[in-house]
Amino acid sequence: MKVVLQHLSKVFPSRNKKANADVVAVSDFNFEIPDGELVGLLGPSGCGKSTALNLICGLQTPTEGRIFFGDDDVTDLPPENRGVGFVFQNYALYPHLTVRQNILFPLQNLKGSDKLSKPDMLAKAREVAELVQIDELMDRKPSELSGGQQQRVAIARALVKMPRILLLDEPLSNLDARLRLQTREELRRIQRQTQITTVFVTHDQEEAMSISDIIVVMRNGVVEQIGKPQDVYDNPVNLFVAKFLGSPPVNIFTGRVTDGTLFIGDDAVLKINGVPNQDIYVGIRPEGFILDRDGPLRCNLNRVEVMGRDVSVISTHDASDNSTIRSIIDAESAADLELSNVRFAIKPNKALLFGKETEARIFFNV
Amino acid sequence: MTNQTDYNRIKQSATVGKTVGNVVIYALLTIWGVMVLFPFYWMILSSVKSYSSYNSEYIPMFFAQSPTMDNYVSAFTAVPLGRYFANTLIFTITTTAVMLVVTIFAAFAFAKLNFRGKNIAFILCLALMMIPNELVIVTNYVTITKLDMRNTFLGLILPSVTSVFYIYLLKENLAQIPDELYYAAKVDATSDLKYLFKVMIPICKPTIITIVILKVIECWNSFVWPRLITDDANYFLISNGIQEIRENGFGRENIPAMMAVVVVISIPLIILFLIFRNKVMEGVSRGGTKG
């Protein structure tokens, strides 16, 4: 089921009656989610991603804009008539019911022609429990389950009525690091298997990048960029997106363009065409550095972190916005790093230029 | 080897300490138990003494010389105790049932629904708890009399079907249920009413059972209001019955007969409490802390 969001806005009226400071949680959200894709809504906390999810779900009504599921306009429908499954951050399992009863709960509310017989319900519950691999735990209460198991039950409960759309609000944030890795693979597998269009919210860029087909980066209620994870990573539209994506994060330098040459501090690092003279920010991904004895970027070496396959070189530069520069290079090429100074060349396709004022991306030709 | 003996000494002194502690605790508990149980013993003891022997004891004795069951027989024959029992049963069950419905809906509204003036309404309700009961009884008496409901079950029941305290207790309990459960239920197409009955009430069951038991006890023991509002013996409750029996003596109060009635009417409550005591304790301790 494809989901279309048209000019979606949500404004929360200000509680302070004197100062009219309405909170704009979501502003002019336009997006078409293709059928069967896994979409990650990504952004720092308070950016409106959960509100956007609630709007799709119907728990909140938009101030402006329309929402379509396929060709149906669902904007004015309450959540129960939209056919969505929702997994809450804290799972919201009914504590007095067993796992089986929890999963059966949505089915018991079906009315009219959708109504199922008891054996059908049990069969469906068993099927979905097998899908999320909790069929051994059906008679336990939620309090007798681990966090990861509760999470699976919540997903099973959301999936059992075969929703048109599956929505997940920070589904992994209550799990420990190892379980999170494991569960996100699970999530991906379940989504692939069921082919249900899925939207999930997260503040963890790594999580979003690793399992999403499409990511939506949001800030202050505004969609900054939508795209495939790799595209957004390689081609961020502005400084915010560049900084938000990537681990370790992008290195930011202040620099300038003078007569077709890109300067970082006093180092002329690249020849570039098509950019007028101006002050800019330069973002360079950790993998965008090449260790080079005669490289143009002269940095002071702090230390080297060996990570096995790669080596992480920590250095400083006067023009750097961050306190240190982190670059990742092959272990072999780092064999002779002993000097206090280290020089890098820059991969032109990994250097990102942003306007000093606008922070918008500036494209250039090499 | 020295270590070995040391350990034994420590173990020994720990055992001694524990034994002494236990003896002290059990001694105190025994005294406490005797203090609590003595009135019950006295009640049963008095009920098996005959009127004459009770009155002839210048210093009351701790045992009965010639126990008799006459008082129990006369309790049911001298006054229509069976009818009073039935009346009390009707009164208690109806009041508790109606109060439960009122309390659950009111608590749900205060805890989970949003409507204009909710907070003011709730504060007004709480303010009612500060008005002494005696004052309320006077106005209730006037109201019920004006409505011409003296000597009716409706008049007996109506003033006790709301209880601000129980609404407050249950509201606090319901408020602790996370809102996500409500949203989850909404997404799963659950109506408000169904959510209340299938999710909230089961979660709050201990509190609700506590409320029921406390209310049953309150109804069973109520005296002032039934006494005020009824003067037709057809509508007397057992508490009025006790009063009648007491006045049944020959110039003096008939304490043994009264005690026999008290024993009879206490039994249902004691049984009820013994069945549900764990639930009551659970509910009372839950009310204060988190659920």
Side-chain angles (χ1 to χ4, degrees):
Chain A
M1 182 70 54
K2 129 185 130 169
V3 178
V4 182
L5 310 177
Q6 281 179 356
H7 303 288
L8 210 56
S9 291
K10 177 69 183 176
V11 179
F12 292 105
S14 159
R15 287 219 189 85
N16 185 345
K17 278 173 188 155
K18 284 173 199 161
N20 192 18
D22 290 350
V23 178
V24 182
V26 176
S27 157
D28 200 28
F29 194 156
N30 287 299
F31 186 29
E32 187 176 322
I33 303 170
D35 184 25
E37 302 267 276
L38 180 62
V39 176
L41 287 184
L42 178 63
S45 64
C47 72
K49 52 195 190 303
S50 288
T51 308
L53 201 69
N54 286 342
L55 291 176
I56 299 174
C57 173
L59 288 172
Q60 285 169 343
T61 47
T63 320
E64 268 176 63
R66 311 301 298 172
I67 302 166
F68 296 90
F69 286 1
D71 295 324
D72 308 336
D73 185 344
V74 298
T75 316
D76 301 316
L77 286 182
E80 59 264 34
N81 298 341
R82 291 190 185 193
V84 293
F86 202 107
V87 177
F88 290 85
Q89 188 170 4
N90 59 4
Y91 315 140
L93 300 176
Y94 305 115
H96 60 294
L97 300 178
T98 62
V99 169
R100 180 179 286 108
Q101 290 166 325
N102 261 290
I103 297 175
L104 286 175
F105 196 85
L107 298 179
Q108 289 161 347
N109 292 325
L110 295 176
K111 288 190 192 79
S113 58
D114 298 334
K115 216 169 162 75
L116 295 169
S117 69
K118 192 120 203 204
D120 283 353
M121 285 190 199
L122 286 170
K124 277 205 158 193
R126 197 170 321 114
E127 191 183 313
V128 73
E130 275 165 18
L131 179 70
V132 300
Q133 296 168 353
I134 48 161
D135 41 324
E136 317 253 296
L137 311 168
M138 292 293 261
D139 293 311
R140 295 214 203 159
K141 291 272 178 74
S143 57
E144 295 159 349
L145 300 177
S146 73
Q149 290 166 338
Q150 289 183 18
Q151 220 266 349
R152 285 155 192 246
V153 177
I155 293 177
R157 189 181 64 182
L159 283 177
V160 73
K161 58 179 181 181
M162 279 297 138
R164 301 198 280 179
I165 319 285
L166 179 63
L167 305 168
L168 304 105
D169 190 0
E170 300 265 6
L172 308 176
S173 64
N174 283 1
L175 304 177
D176 66 58
R178 177 186 283 262
L179 204 53
R180 197 176 306 169
L181 277 180
Q182 196 187 331
T183 313
R184 85 184 183 203
E185 299 304 320
E186 284 285 285
L187 208 60
R188 186 66 182 141
R189 176 184 64 79
I190 293 164
Q191 197 270 336
R192 283 261 164 81
Q193 228 166 313
T194 54
Q195 286 294 314
I196 291 176
T197 309
T198 305
V199 182
F200 81 105
V201 154
T202 178
H203 61 265
D204 182 346
Q205 54 91 18
E206 207 182 315
E207 193 176 300
M209 301 260 294
S210 61
I211 61 171
S212 309
D213 295 315
I214 299 173
I215 59 172
V216 178
V217 184
M218 294 183 72
R219 174 173 61 164
N220 297 335
V222 179
V223 175
E224 298 282 344
Q225 192 169 2
I226 297 174
K228 291 205 166 79
Q230 193 64 45
D231 290 349
V232 178
Y233 178 81
D234 288 336
N235 284 308
V237 295
N238 59 30
L239 190 61
F240 170 79
V241 177
K243 276 183 178 170
F244 198 78
L245 290 186
S247 170
V250 66
N251 300 293
I252 304 292
F253 300 89
T254 46
R256 66 182 192 281
V257 178
T258 313
D259 302 332
T261 307
L262 172 64
F263 285 91
I264 291 177
D266 297 327
D267 301 333
V269 291
L270 279 179
K271 288 276 175 212
I272 56 176
N273 297 318
V275 183
N277 292 353
Q278 60 181 306
D279 285 343
I280 50 166
Y281 285 115
V282 186
I284 301 171
R285 296 281 180 202
E287 65 274 21
F289 296 92
I290 306 164
L291 203 59
D292 184 349
R293 274 176 201 286
D294 307 314
L297 187 65
R298 293 167 295 178
C299 302
N300 298 315
L301 183 65
N302 259 9
R303 62 181 191 280
V304 177
E305 288 175 7
V306 181
M307 297 182 294
R309 183 168 48 85
D310 299 322
V311 170
S312 189
V313 179
I314 318 290
S315 54
T316 56
H317 191 277
D318 289 341
S320 171
D321 259 23
N322 319 64
S323 56
T324 57
I325 306 160
R326 183 180 282 269
S327 46
I328 296 173
I329 52 179
D330 285 349
E332 290 104 50
S333 59
D336 54 349
L337 267 178
E338 275 169 31
L339 307 158
S340 61
N341 289 317
V342 62
R343 296 177 69 152
F344 295 106
I346 308 293
K347 293 178 190 166
N349 59 345
K350 293 283 175 185
L352 311 165
L353 306 193
F354 304 97
K356 191 101 184 177
E357 304 295 326
T358 58
E359 299 195 346
R361 179 81 182 276
I362 298 168
F363 293 92
F364 62 90
N365 308 317
V366 179
Chain B
M1 284 310 276
T2 42
N3 278 346
Q4 190 98 41
T5 49
D6 270 353
Y7 278 129
N8 279 333
R9 274 240 317 272
I10 293 168
K11 208 166 131 190
Q12 221 165 31
S13 68
T15 319
V16 171
K18 217 171 166 184
T19 315
V20 172
N22 274 341
V23 167
V24 171
I25 287 172
Y26 278 101
L28 286 174
L29 284 178
T30 308
I31 295 170
W32 183 250
V34 168
M35 279 165 64
V36 169
L37 287 176
F38 183 74
F40 284 95
Y41 174 68
W42 197 250
M43 176 174 87
I44 294 166
L45 177 73
S46 303
S47 74
V48 294
K49 290 176 180 172
S50 67
Y51 178 70
S52 51
S53 71
Y54 181 84
N55 282 312
S56 63
E57 283 169 12
Y58 180 62
I59 299 167
M61 284 191 288
F62 282 93
F63 51 90
Q65 272 168 329
S66 53
T68 166
M69 298 302 280
D70 285 353
N71 291 316
Y72 287 92
V73 178
S74 74
F76 280 95
T77 49
V79 293
L81 199 62
R83 160 164 283 273
Y84 298 164
F85 242 115
N87 283 349
T88 311
L89 219 55
I90 294 169
F91 169 71
T92 303
I93 290 172
T94 319
T95 310
T96 307
V98 176
M99 184 227 48
L100 202 59
V101 173
V102 171
T103 303
I104 286 173
F105 281 116
F108 176 64
F110 281 132
K112 291 292 174 191
L113 300 182
N114 282 318
F115 52 91
R116 190 178 280 273
K118 176 171 98 166
N119 287 333
I120 290 183
F122 187 60
I123 288 169
L124 284 177
C125 273
L126 285 187
L128 279 181
M129 290 210 298
M130 294 175 204
I131 302 172
N133 217 13
E134 290 76 5
L135 270 178
V136 179
I137 277 191
V138 173
T139 55
N140 277 349
Y141 180 81
V142 174
T143 313
I144 294 293
T145 309
K146 272 190 182 155
L147 289 174
D148 206 18
M149 289 200 282
R150 282 180 59 94
N151 289 321
T152 61
F153 275 113
L154 204 58
L156 272 172
I157 289 164
L158 216 51
S160 346
V161 295
T162 55
S163 165
V164 176
F165 177 69
Y166 296 144
I167 291 173
Y168 174 71
L169 189 72
L170 192 59
K171 180 226 163 194
E172 290 303 304
N173 212 267
L174 291 176
Q176 284 162 1
I177 297 173
D179 284 341
E180 276 81 6
L181 286 187
Y182 179 69
Y183 296 136
K186 275 274 121 191
V187 173
D188 294 339
T190 317
S191 65
D192 279 10
L193 211 59
K194 195 169 178 189
Y195 173 67
L196 177 65
F197 283 108
K198 289 200 81 173
V199 179
M200 293 194 111
I201 290 178
I203 292 177
C204 292
K205 213 164 86 188
T207 309
I208 291 172
I209 288 178
T210 308
I211 289 175
V212 166
I213 288 176
L214 292 179
K215 189 69 186 178
V216 165
I217 293 173
E218 188 188 312
C219 289
W220 198 262
N221 290 341
S222 63
F223 174 72
V224 175
W225 180 251
R227 180 94 182 142
L228 265 179
I229 210 70
T230 56
D231 44 23
D232 179 348
N234 280 332
Y235 293 98
F236 277 0
L237 304 187
I238 41 173
S239 50
N240 307 84
I242 298 174
Q243 189 68 12
E244 243 182 80
I245 291 265
R246 198 174 77 102
E247 289 158 0
N248 211 15
F250 311 96
R252 295 181 67 173
E253 292 161 331
N254 192 346
I255 298 293
M258 181 177 126
M259 285 303 174
V261 179
V262 171
V263 169
V264 170
I265 69 175
S266 303
I267 286 169
L269 280 192
I270 291 172
I271 291 172
L272 195 72
F273 185 77
L274 286 181
I275 293 172
F276 288 109
R277 63 183 170 171
N278 288 336
K279 294 276 182 197
V280 175
M281 293 309 163
E282 205 179 309
V284 170
S285 56
R286 244 171 80 112
T289 59
K290 89 189 228 340

